[in-house]
Amino acid sequence: MRLDLSSWQEVQAYLGHRTDIIIPIGSHEQHGPNGLIGTDAICPEIVARTFGERDSVMIGPTLGIGVAQHHLGFAGSVALRPTTLIAVIRDVVASLTRHGFTHVLFHNGHGGNIATVQAAFAEIYGDYSFRGEPAPTHLRLGNWFMGRRVMSLTRELYGDSNGQHATANEVALTYHAHPDQVKSVTMSPKVAPNGRFRDAADYRTRFPDGRMGSDPSRATPADGARLLEAAVEDLRDGHRDFVAGG
Amino acid sequence: MRLDLSSWQEVQAYLGHRTDIIIPIGSHEQHGPNGLIGTDAICPEIVARTFGERDSVMIGPTLGIGVAQHHLGFAGSVALRPTTLIAVIRDVVASLTRHGFTHVLFHNGHGGNIATVQAAFAEIYGDYSFRGEPAPTHLRLGNWFMGRRVMSLTRELYGDSNGQHATANEVALTYHAHPDQVKSVTMSPKVAPNGRFRDAADYRTRFPDGRMGSDPSRATPADGARLLEAAVEDLRDGHRDFVAGG
Amino acid sequence: MRLDLSSWQEVQAYLGHRTDIIIPIGSHEQHGPNGLIGTDAICPEIVARTFGERDSVMIGPTLGIGVAQHHLGFAGSVALRPTTLIAVIRDVVASLTRHGFTHVLFHNGHGGNIATVQAAFAEIYGDYSFRGEPAPTHLRLGNWFMGRRVMSLTRELYGDSNGQHATANEVALTYHAHPDQVKSVTMSPKVAPNGRFRDAADYRTRFPDGRMGSDPSRATPADGARLLEAAVEDLRDGHRDFVAGG
Amino acid sequence: MRLDLSSWQEVQAYLGHRTDIIIPIGSHEQHGPNGLIGTDAICPEIVARTFGERDSVMIGPTLGIGVAQHHLGFAGSVALRPTTLIAVIRDVVASLTRHGFTHVLFHNGHGGNIATVQAAFAEIYGDYSFRGEPAPTHLRLGNWFMGRRVMSLTRELYGDSNGQHATANEVALTYHAHPDQVKSVTMSPKVAPNGRFRDAADYRTRFPDGRMGSDPSRATPADGARLLEAAVEDLRDGHRDFVAGG
Amino acid sequence: MRLDLSSWQEVQAYLGHRTDIIIPIGSHEQHGPNGLIGTDAICPEIVARTFGERDSVMIGPTLGIGVAQHHLGFAGSVALRPTTLIAVIRDVVASLTRHGFTHVLFHNGHGGNIATVQAAFAEIYGDYSFRGEPAPTHLRLGNWFMGRRVMSLTRELYGDSNGQHATANEVALTYHAHPDQVKSVTMSPKVAPNGRFRDAADYRTRFPDGRMGSDPSRATPADGARLLEAAVEDLRDGHRDFVAGG
Amino acid sequence: MRLDLSSWQEVQAYLGHRTDIIIPIGSHEQHGPNGLIGTDAICPEIVARTFGERDSVMIGPTLGIGVAQHHLGFAGSVALRPTTLIAVIRDVVASLTRHGFTHVLFHNGHGGNIATVQAAFAEIYGDYSFRGEPAPTHLRLGNWFMGRRVMSLTRELYGDSNGQHATANEVALTYHAHPDQVKSVTMSPKVAPNGRFRDAADYRTRFPDGRMGSDPSRATPADGARLLEAAVEDLRDGHRDFVAGG
């Protein structure tokens, strides 16, 4: 079920028998020479929506812009300050809590969001903890790219060249979602360098074409189809564990 | 052109010859018994993307959650505080300004966003005005539902029963975008009451099924197709005027 | 009744039989060659105080500084960031709500404040809506310059040359309030240009003497006296409608 | 000179030969059984305007609402949070700095504002100190009620019964400013109790009629006239010292 | 008792019979040629801990960074913005209130903190005052350097050369606390100049070696031992008065 | 070298030949029946100070209060909201950057701080990335309890019963630092349960005595001495890598 395609009465009916929801969260930022700027939003969205359709779980609106300051040296990257994203998550959770949702699973596509989403959870829980009240809502963060099946399949498909940013597996998943957007680019070097980074200027110097440790030229729509299946299974496990109070 | 489906080099190439971008902005909130919660995001997004594809204009990520506190009495509505949305818009504009975009047109689907978006523009411009520097970026807000052609066609199609919220025309446009989501509901009363509102409790009391002044049961996918054409033409005019410095 | 000239026991007595209050809100910003910087505060204040005295309605302190970033290119203009004004309005409304005021009418003299005041209302209402509680206070914004009688009289007095900023009618009203401040200036051009604007540098370039579309040299104290009467009548209507729950 | 009654060209002319300005700052809060709610705004405003007229010094808009949380237990008191007032002062100083004012003297009427105004100065100066730039603007806080002549005359007029809040001298000054507002109230006890306080509930319990340590029934308009003269002289001294870099 | 060296059960036992706590608050900032950067944290900490040990009063964690923007022109100074320190104090008080502490005494070592701490108290109390609830927690600020015995002993030891910053008495107290850190420096001039200051650049110009009005070369560990005894006695008095509701 | 025990000239001299600094960061929160509330501040502080003394590296003031909302159900725990800690870190880094420090290593003792510190880094770097300037300061987070040698020694000493909170190794380290504070408590159960948690109420329900997965009754001062040596070696490695640009 997609929240955006439901009427309020349909949501109300859903809430009559279950109170969990999944919020895809991602980023719009450079993904190397052949990756889409929307990669980190497209991936968790397609995984969540596919799972939601199959298992009749409510999927909320995608929070498509994230903590991406380090990519601002590449055209088209859009970033929120961490404190802004905390405010967004706080308001979204407050809205869902208002309706009686008790389990909100953020299904994430961007490593740069992880710290800030966890800080947001502490900010939200803290509102209750300072007042000495139990928080009514369970919050959890999951990352599609860190599921057991996805990681295993990624190793099988790309070995060491999946990399850290503009990875082969995420590019493959977006190619499956948007097969008309496959971009054929010769990578130079074949596999990008790896390492740490700080701000946008530093990132651009270290990773001139935007990739970190990856060879995304190996990505194919067919790989993406297999990755989607793996990711949906991983999400099903994670979601079951979450709802069960694990 | 869609930013989310472009690579950074493609955006860089775009910026080499033009520097305008359109950001759809909407809301996820109840839209009456037969309207979709995502209506206000779906409408500006489809209008902007259709225009962007036809005229090769860059369309950025949709800001899909807006100022919707008054709808929180209906299940599924999601709201940002105005100060949160101001922070989001400030960061998005800062990102785009960083890349050299000089004209950012927010194409809006939700009346409740208008005041806050304008306040955000004053906040952003003010950063420059306080420092005595010229602002590098032109900002404008347009509303798809207030275009000349759209308003004329709406009157032709629905007369006085288009209404103020969960309007027939927006429902029609979403039905065109998602024909599998047409929901057949008998409205009671046929045309909803109209009036002012304050907070969510007050709204729910005055407008029990969420509609304001509308009879959206008249909406059809075919109407939506016509409305889309009108809205694209209206956006083309508004965009041309904006870029021309009007 | 003026809040500033009342004792707390007098306010308490007022609250014993009625719970409405009017807050004048304006700006301190350039108003062209012959207009006063305080124009947008002086106008709503004199209208509200005159009405308050005649009808025994409580008039609160004037919020005299507003959203005026676009005027900062002209000496003497003072501006608040929109987020600052939202905080001010939030605290003022919280104070009044604390005492039992249920209807707070902001009587405004500055177009640039409108969006931010409405955003502030959504911020305040939202505090209740997120918690699922009814908001105890009714908030409304009225603009003295948009009343029916004022607009009609303005057309009669100045036709098309009233303009958009440093308008003839507001200058006339301040001249009535401060007849010793009438400034005789030859306008060049006679009627100022009109159009859009962005930040302070842009405004100054487009509107070199600060006026927009106006010829305020036509303003007289006598016009101001007539405008005051019209504005008080308009406010009486707006206030009656507000308190009646319209 | 009053900023509110000047045109921007007049302010520009003033800035051509001097760059100092005085901003009256006060509060709207209960002032006991015979004191006006606006007392703390009226007093610094009349002192500053009288001085400004006599010495041709620019007087800016009065910041009439202050840190008055402890008075919210009495009807009509209006308060800003300290962080809100800091934001207001920051924006006002930024506006004045933009125009070239180099010396901004806040002339205060409310003891409760002192800490927050000083914190605001540190916040503003800090913006420059963190960047390693010299701050272009000199900021100072003066309190009309702490001037040498005012304190001496107050002792002469009221001895120990001037008190700490709703003092005889401030009531006298407002009675001089608004002789039609003299309120004749028998005080019980004659002199109010004194002491510390915390929040509004605590204040109301300790000081049931709002006064602290005072017998304001002794205040007369004639006293107020003498106090005004003393306060103007004190302000002249303080202003001279400030502008001279003392 | 030191909170940092207690287990939670020990704190719980303490709360079973008394509910007061002392929070040392200071700064890390230059203290002239022979003073330690941590002076303003070390002094209130040693005074509070000595008192706490003798009288079995709970001493919380030292808030060691304060409002020190004016010292940022000297290497090693660390500053918080006033609004940051307000947020810190708000969270610390909320935590302590949560556990049932009813009296929180901030024992301060830095004059620059005074205004901001008082503003923080008004911010915290205001949360209750706006809601019309009594604040559960008593807050007070005391300064070790302003106690009766400390001021008397300081006059005896150093006369007029104690000064305003990098004072002889605070240096002596740190030398008693850290006798291995005594730094022998010839002061030039012997007694530093005095006066006002604004931002960091201004401070550095006026007070080239960081001292204000002091000759801290006179400080000795032996003096510090005597000052500690005086300060502990002063704190005992202040604490007794506070807890007794004075 | 300890910043708090240095004079500003000594810091300036240090900056003349190297520009790195270590900031211990921790928390004050319950650490089970025999652990100290200050554990997470004491541990990184003693490790950093020992390293700093041996290797002449500058050690800044300990940020002793962290993100600990989940411990507020236990007496004595003190917490900052994540947004407050972000503001603190931002100001501390701005201060150090002002002086020319180029490498700031946060040496952390509390798992709950990790996400927020990383979010703070993105907030700080983002200020530069949005403006298109290179950030002058390198920021890194290290955790004493995650060093290679510490983890190895911990396994050797405690095997699986070190746990997740109120761990045997951190208790041992504080016992070494404060041997007079060894608290002998019989644990029941011997090894605490493990698992996830949300807010304070949830944490207290799941972990009734505060421990997570640990048996800290095995901690001894002698273990602590060995752990300190391991942690100093780990910090030396991490610091060398950081300063070398690793």
Side-chain angles (χ1 to χ4, degrees):
Chain A
M1 285 190 74
R2 282 172 55 174
L3 186 79
D4 63 336
L5 301 183
S6 303
S7 71
W8 70 263
Q9 288 97 332
E10 290 166 347
V11 181
Q12 195 175 55
Y14 179 91
L15 283 161
H17 62 98
R18 57 190 295 179
T19 56
D20 55 310
I21 189 169
I22 297 173
I23 305 288
I25 182 167
S27 183
H28 276 67
E29 63 186 39
Q30 67 84 13
H31 270 79
N34 74 334
L36 311 183
I37 282 178
T39 297
D40 288 353
I42 293 165
C43 291
E45 184 175 275
I46 191 174
V47 173
R49 288 183 177 177
T50 304
F51 171 61
E53 192 170 6
R54 291 185 187 168
D55 287 38
S56 300
V57 174
M58 186 68 73
I59 309 300
T62 301
L63 304 182
I65 306 182
V67 177
Q69 60 85 21
H70 45 300
H71 294 299
L72 285 171
F74 297 90
S77 302
V78 182
L80 297 185
R81 290 170 208 276
T83 47
T84 302
L85 185 55
I86 288 172
V88 168
I89 291 172
R90 184 198 61 198
D91 291 355
V92 168
V93 170
S95 301
L96 297 172
T97 298
R98 170 75 168 79
H99 300 310
F101 286 101
T102 60
H103 287 71
V104 183
L105 175 58
F106 287 83
H107 190 55
N108 181 41
H110 174 48
N113 286 343
I114 294 173
T116 296
V117 173
Q118 288 174 332
F121 290 176
E123 188 91 9
I124 294 166
Y125 286 143
D127 282 344
Y128 297 93
S129 298
F130 278 112
R131 287 199 303 263
E133 298 171 8
T137 316
H138 298 231
L139 305 173
R140 189 168 295 177
L141 175 68
N143 303 289
W144 81 266
F145 51 88
M146 291 178 71
R148 186 174 57 80
R149 292 175 189 81
V150 165
M151 291 181 72
S152 170
L153 178 56
T154 296
R155 268 190 303 275
E156 174 193 329
L157 291 170
Y158 311 116
D160 287 343
S161 64
N162 187 61
Q164 301 302 115
H165 183 70
T167 59
N169 63 359
E170 62 189 349
V171 171
L173 185 47
T174 62
Y175 283 0
H176 171 65
H178 296 278
D180 53 326
Q181 298 296 333
V182 175
K183 298 176 205 291
S184 186
V185 179
T186 304
M187 299 292 158
S188 167
K190 187 72 176 151
V191 178
N194 228 321
R196 293 168 178 270
F197 56 85
R198 301 191 306 276
D199 57 296
D202 179 62
Y203 188 103
R204 176 104 199 205
T205 301
R206 293 173 188 262
F207 312 108
D209 70 0
R211 297 174 296 143
M212 284 180 67
S214 69
D215 175 12
S217 67
R218 297 175 60 182
T220 68
D223 292 352
R226 293 180 64 194
L227 285 159
L228 177 59
E229 290 306 312
V232 169
E233 293 300 309
D234 285 339
L235 175 53
R236 181 173 290 120
D237 283 356
H239 176 263
R240 185 188 305 117
D241 178 69
F242 177 45
V243 172
Chain B
M1 285 189 74
R2 282 173 55 175
L3 186 79
D4 64 336
L5 301 183
S6 303
S7 70
W8 70 263
Q9 289 96 332
E10 289 166 349
V11 181
Q12 194 175 53
Y14 179 91
L15 283 161
H17 63 96
R18 57 189 297 178
T19 56
D20 54 311
I21 190 170
I22 297 173
I23 305 288
I25 182 168
S27 183
H28 275 68
E29 62 186 42
Q30 68 83 14
H31 270 78
N34 74 335
L36 311 182
I37 282 178
T39 297
D40 288 353
I42 293 165
C43 291
E45 185 174 274
I46 192 174
V47 173
R49 287 183 176 177
T50 304
F51 170 62
E53 193 170 6
R54 291 183 187 168
D55 287 38
S56 300
V57 174
M58 186 68 73
I59 310 300
T62 300
L63 304 182
I65 307 182
V67 177
Q69 59 86 20
H70 46 298
H71 294 298
L72 285 171
F74 296 90
S77 301
V78 182
L80 297 184
R81 290 171 208 277
T83 46
T84 302
L85 185 55
I86 289 172
V88 169
I89 292 172
R90 184 199 60 196
D91 290 356
V92 168
V93 169
S95 300
L96 298 172
T97 299
R98 169 76 166 77
H99 300 310
F101 286 102
T102 60
H103 287 72
V104 183
L105 175 58
F106 287 83
H107 189 55
N108 180 41
H110 174 47
N113 286 343
I114 295 173
T116 296
V117 173
Q118 289 173 333
F121 289 176
E123 188 91 8
I124 294 166
Y125 286 144
D127 282 344
Y128 297 94
S129 298
F130 277 111
R131 287 200 303 266
E133 298 171 7
T137 317
H138 298 231
L139 306 172
R140 188 168 296 176
L141 177 67
N143 303 290
W144 81 265
F145 51 88
M146 292 178 69
R148 185 172 58 81
R149 292 174 190 82
V150 165
M151 292 181 71
S152 169
L153 177 57
T154 295
R155 269 190 303 275
E156 174 194 327
L157 290 169
Y158 312 117
D160 288 343
S161 64
N162 187 61
Q164 300 304 115
H165 184 71
T167 58
N169 62 0
E170 61 189 350
V171 171
L173 184 47
T174 62
Y175 282 0
H176 170 65
H178 295 278
D180 53 328
Q181 299 296 333
V182 174
K183 300 177 202 291
S184 186
V185 179
T186 303
M187 300 291 158
S188 167
K190 187 70 174 155
V191 178
N194 227 322
R196 293 169 178 270
F197 55 86
R198 300 191 307 277
D199 56 296
D202 179 61
Y203 189 103
R204 177 102 199 206
T205 301
R206 292 172 188 262
F207 313 107
D209 71 0
R211 296 175 297 143
M212 285 180 66
S214 68
D215 175 12
S217 67
R218 297 175 60 181
T220 67
D223 292 353
R226 294 180 63 194
L227 285 158
L228 177 59
E229 291 305 313
V232 169
E233 294 300 310
D234 285 340
L235 175 53
R236 182 173 289 121
D237 284 357
H239 175 263
R240 186 188 305 117
D241 177 70
F242 176 46
V243 173
Chain C
M1 285 189 74
R2 281 172 56 174
L3 186 79
D4 62 338
L5 301 183
S6 303
S7 70
W8 71 262
Q9 288 97 332
E10 290 166 349
V11 180
Q12 195 175 55
Y14 179 91
L15 283 161
H17 62 98
R18 57 190 296 180
T19 55
D20 55 311
I21 189 169
I22 297 174
I23 305 288
I25 182 168
S27 183
H28 275 68
E29 63 186 38
Q30 67 85 14
H31 270 78
N34 73 336
L36 312 182
I37 281 179
T39 297
D40 288 353
I42 293 165
C43 291
E45 186 175 273
I46 192 175
V47 173
R49 288 183 176 177
T50 304
F51 171 62
E53 193 170 6
R54 292 183 187 168
D55 287 38
S56 300
V57 174
M58 186 67 74
I59 309 300
T62 300
L63 304 182
I65 306 182
V67 176
Q69 59 85 21
H70 45 300
H71 294 298
L72 285 171
F74 297 89
S77 302
V78 182
L80 297 184
R81 290 170 208 277
T83 47
T84 301
L85 185 55
I86 289 172
V88 169
I89 292 172
R90 183 200 61 198
D91 290 355
V92 168
V93 170
S95 300
L96 298 171
T97 298
R98 169 77 168 77
H99 300 310
F101 286 102
T102 60
H103 287 72
V104 183
L105 175 58
F106 287 82
H107 190 55
N108 181 40
H110 174 49
N113 286 343
I114 295 173
T116 296
V117 173
Q118 289 173 333
F121 290 176
E123 188 90 9
I124 294 166
Y125 286 143
D127 282 344
Y128 297 93
S129 298
F130 277 111
R131 287 200 302 264
E133 299 171 8
T137 316
H138 297 230
L139 305 173
R140 188 168 296 178
L141 176 69
N143 303 289
W144 80 266
F145 51 87
M146 292 178 69
R148 185 173 58 81
R149 292 174 189 82
V150 165
M151 292 180 73
S152 170
L153 177 57
T154 296
R155 268 191 303 277
E156 175 192 327
L157 291 169
Y158 312 115
D160 287 345
S161 64
N162 187 61
Q164 299 304 116
H165 183 70
T167 58
N169 63 359
E170 62 189 349
V171 172
L173 185 48
T174 62
Y175 283 0
H176 170 66
H178 295 278
D180 54 328
Q181 298 295 333
V182 175
K183 300 178 203 291
S184 185
V185 179
T186 303
M187 300 291 159
S188 167
K190 187 72 175 153
V191 178
N194 227 322
R196 293 168 178 270
F197 56 85
R198 301 191 306 278
D199 57 297
D202 179 61
Y203 189 103
R204 176 105 199 204
T205 302
R206 293 172 189 261
F207 313 107
D209 70 1
R211 295 175 297 144
M212 284 180 66
S214 68
D215 175 12
S217 66
R218 298 175 60 179
T220 67
D223 292 353
R226 293 180 63 194
L227 285 158
L228 176 60
E229 290 305 312
V232 169
E233 293 302 309
D234 285 340
L235 175 54
R236 182 173 289 120
D237 284 357
H239 176 264
R240 185 189 304 116
D241 177 69
F242 177 45
V243 173
Chain D
M1 285 189 73
R2 283 173 54 176
L3 186 80
D4 63 337
L5 301 183
S6 303
S7 71
W8 70 264
Q9 288 97 332
E10 290 166 349
V11 180
Q12 194 176 53
Y14 178 91
L15 283 161
H17 62 96
R18 58 189 296 179
T19 56
D20 54 311
I21 189 169
I22 297 173
I23 305 288
I25 182 167
S27 183
H28 276 68
E29 62 187 41
Q30 68 83 14
H31 270 77
N34 75 334
L36 312 183
I37 282 178
T39 297
D40 288 353
I42 293 165
C43 290
E45 185 175 274
I46 192 174
V47 173
R49 287 182 177 178
T50 304
F51 171 62
E53 193 170 5
R54 292 183 187 169
D55 287 38
S56 300
V57 174
M58 185 69 72
I59 310 300
T62 301
L63 305 183
I65 306 182
V67 176
Q69 60 85 21
H70 46 299
H71 294 298
L72 285 171
F74 297 90
S77 302
V78 182
L80 296 185
R81 291 171 208 277
T83 47
T84 302
L85 185 55
I86 289 172
V88 168
I89 292 172
R90 184 198 61 197
D91 291 355
V92 168
V93 170
S95 300
L96 297 172
T97 298
R98 170 75 166 79
H99 300 310
F101 286 103
T102 61
H103 287 72
V104 183
L105 175 58
F106 287 82
H107 191 54
N108 180 41
H110 173 49
N113 285 343
I114 295 174
T116 297
V117 173
Q118 289 174 333
F121 290 176
E123 188 91 8
I124 294 166
Y125 286 143
D127 282 345
Y128 297 94
S129 298
F130 277 112
R131 287 199 303 264
E133 299 171 7
T137 316
H138 298 231
L139 305 173
R140 189 168 296 176
L141 176 68
N143 303 289
W144 80 266
F145 50 88
M146 292 179 69
R148 185 173 58 80
R149 293 174 189 80
V150 165
M151 292 181 71
S152 170
L153 177 58
T154 296
R155 268 190 304 276
E156 173 193 328
L157 290 170
Y158 311 116
D160 287 344
S161 64
N162 187 62
Q164 300 302 116
H165 184 71
T167 58
N169 63 359
E170 62 189 350
V171 171
L173 184 48
T174 62
Y175 283 1
H176 171 65
H178 296 278
D180 54 327
Q181 298 296 332
V182 175
K183 300 178 203 290
S184 186
V185 179
T186 303
M187 299 292 157
S188 166
K190 186 71 174 154
V191 178
N194 227 322
R196 294 169 177 270
F197 56 84
R198 300 191 307 276
D199 57 296
D202 180 62
Y203 189 103
R204 177 103 199 206
T205 302
R206 293 172 188 261
F207 312 107
D209 71 0
R211 296 175 297 143
M212 285 181 66
S214 69
D215 174 12
S217 67
R218 297 175 60 182
T220 67
D223 292 352
R226 293 180 64 195
L227 284 158
L228 177 59
E229 290 305 313
V232 168
E233 294 300 310
D234 284 340
L235 175 53
R236 181 173 290 120
D237 284 356
H239 175 263
R240 185 188 305 117
D241 177 69
F242 176 44
V243 172
Chain E
M1 286 190 73
R2 281 173 56 175
L3 186 79
D4 63 338
L5 300 183
S6 304
S7 72
W8 70 264
Q9 288 97 333
E10 290 166 348
V11 181
Q12 195 175 55
Y14 179 91
L15 283 161
H17 62 98
R18 57 191 294 179
T19 55
D20 54 312
I21 190 169
I22 298 174
I23 305 288
I25 181 168
S27 184
H28 275 68
E29 62 187 39
Q30 68 84 13
H31 270 79
N34 74 334
L36 312 182
I37 282 179
T39 297
D40 289 352
I42 292 165
C43 291
E45 186 175 274
I46 192 175
V47 173
R49 288 183 177 178
T50 303
F51 170 62
E53 194 170 4
R54 293 182 187 169
D55 288 37
S56 300
V57 174
M58 186 68 74
I59 310 300
T62 301
L63 305 182
I65 306 182
V67 176
Q69 59 85 22
H70 45 300
H71 294 298
L72 286 171
F74 296 89
S77 302
V78 182
L80 296 185
R81 291 171 207 277
T83 46
T84 302
L85 185 55
I86 289 172
V88 169
I89 293 172
R90 183 198 61 197
D91 290 356
V92 168
V93 170
S95 301
L96 298 172
T97 298
R98 169 77 167 77
H99 300 310
F101 286 102
T102 60
H103 288 71
V104 184
L105 175 58
F106 287 83
H107 189 55
N108 181 41
H110 174 48
N113 285 343
I114 295 173
T116 296
V117 173
Q118 289 173 333
F121 290 177
E123 189 91 9
I124 294 167
Y125 286 143
D127 282 344
Y128 297 94
S129 298
F130 277 113
R131 288 199 303 264
E133 298 171 8
T137 316
H138 298 232
L139 305 172
R140 188 168 296 177
L141 176 68
N143 303 289
W144 81 266
F145 52 88
M146 292 179 70
R148 185 172 58 80
R149 293 174 189 81
V150 165
M151 291 181 72
S152 170
L153 177 57
T154 297
R155 269 191 303 276
E156 174 193 329
L157 291 169
Y158 312 115
D160 286 344
S161 64
N162 187 61
Q164 300 304 115
H165 184 71
T167 59
N169 64 359
E170 63 189 348
V171 171
L173 185 47
T174 62
Y175 282 1
H176 171 64
H178 295 278
D180 54 326
Q181 298 297 333
V182 174
K183 299 175 204 291
S184 185
V185 178
T186 304
M187 300 290 159
S188 166
K190 187 73 177 150
V191 178
N194 227 322
R196 294 167 177 271
F197 55 85
R198 301 191 306 277
D199 56 297
D202 179 61
Y203 189 103
R204 177 104 199 204
T205 301
R206 294 173 187 260
F207 313 108
D209 71 0
R211 295 175 297 144
M212 285 181 65
S214 67
D215 174 12
S217 66
R218 298 175 61 181
T220 67
D223 292 352
R226 293 180 63 194
L227 285 158
L228 176 60
E229 290 305 312
V232 169
E233 293 301 309
D234 285 340
L235 175 53
R236 181 173 290 119
D237 283 356
H239 176 263
R240 184 188 307 116
D241 177 70
F242 177 45
V243 173
Chain F
M1 286 189 72
R2 282 173 55 174
L3 186 79
D4 62 339
L5 301 183
S6 304
S7 70
W8 70 264
Q9 288 97 332
E10 290 166 349
V11 181
Q12 195 175 53
Y14 179 91
L15 284 161
H17 62 96
R18 57 189 296 178
T19 56
D20 55 310
I21 189 168
I22 297 174
I23 305 288
I25 181 167
S27 184
H28 275 68
E29 62 187 41
Q30 68 83 13
H31 270 78
N34 74 335
L36 311 182
I37 282 179
T39 297
D40 288 353
I42 293 165
C43 291
E45 186 175 273
I46 191 175
V47 173
R49 288 182 176 178
T50 304
F51 171 61
E53 193 170 5
R54 292 182 187 169
D55 287 37
S56 299
V57 174
M58 186 67 75
I59 309 300
T62 300
L63 304 182
I65 306 181
V67 176
Q69 59 86 22
H70 45 300
H71 294 299
L72 285 170
F74 296 90
S77 302
V78 182
L80 298 184
R81 291 170 207 278
T83 47
T84 302
L85 186 55
I86 289 172
V88 169
I89 292 171
R90 183 199 61 198
D91 291 356
V92 168
V93 170
S95 300
L96 298 172
T97 298
R98 169 75 166 78
H99 300 310
F101 286 102
T102 61
H103 287 72
V104 184
L105 175 58
F106 288 82
H107 190 55
N108 180 40
H110 174 48
N113 286 343
I114 295 173
T116 296
V117 173
Q118 289 173 332
F121 290 175
E123 189 91 8
I124 294 166
Y125 286 143
D127 283 345
Y128 297 93
S129 298
F130 277 113
R131 288 200 301 266
E133 298 171 7
T137 317
H138 298 231
L139 306 173
R140 188 168 295 175
L141 176 69
N143 303 289
W144 81 266
F145 51 88
M146 292 178 70
R148 185 172 57 80
R149 293 175 189 81
V150 166
M151 292 181 71
S152 171
L153 177 56
T154 296
R155 268 191 303 276
E156 175 193 328
L157 290 169
Y158 312 115
D160 287 344
S161 63
N162 187 62
Q164 300 304 115
H165 184 70
T167 58
N169 63 0
E170 61 188 351
V171 171
L173 185 47
T174 62
Y175 283 0
H176 171 66
H178 296 277
D180 55 326
Q181 298 295 333
V182 174
K183 300 177 202 292
S184 185
V185 179
T186 303
M187 300 290 158
S188 167
K190 187 71 175 155
V191 178
N194 227 321
R196 294 170 177 269
F197 56 85
R198 300 191 306 277
D199 57 296
D202 179 61
Y203 189 103
R204 176 105 200 205
T205 301
R206 293 173 188 262
F207 312 107
D209 71 0
R211 295 175 298 143
M212 285 181 65
S214 69
D215 174 12
S217 67
R218 298 175 60 182
T220 67
D223 291 353
R226 294 180 64 195
L227 285 158
L228 176 59
E229 291 305 313
V232 169
E233 293 300 309
D234 285 340
L235 176 53
R236 182 173 290 121
D237 284 356
H239 175 264
R240 185 187 307 116
D241 178 69
F242 177 45
V243 173

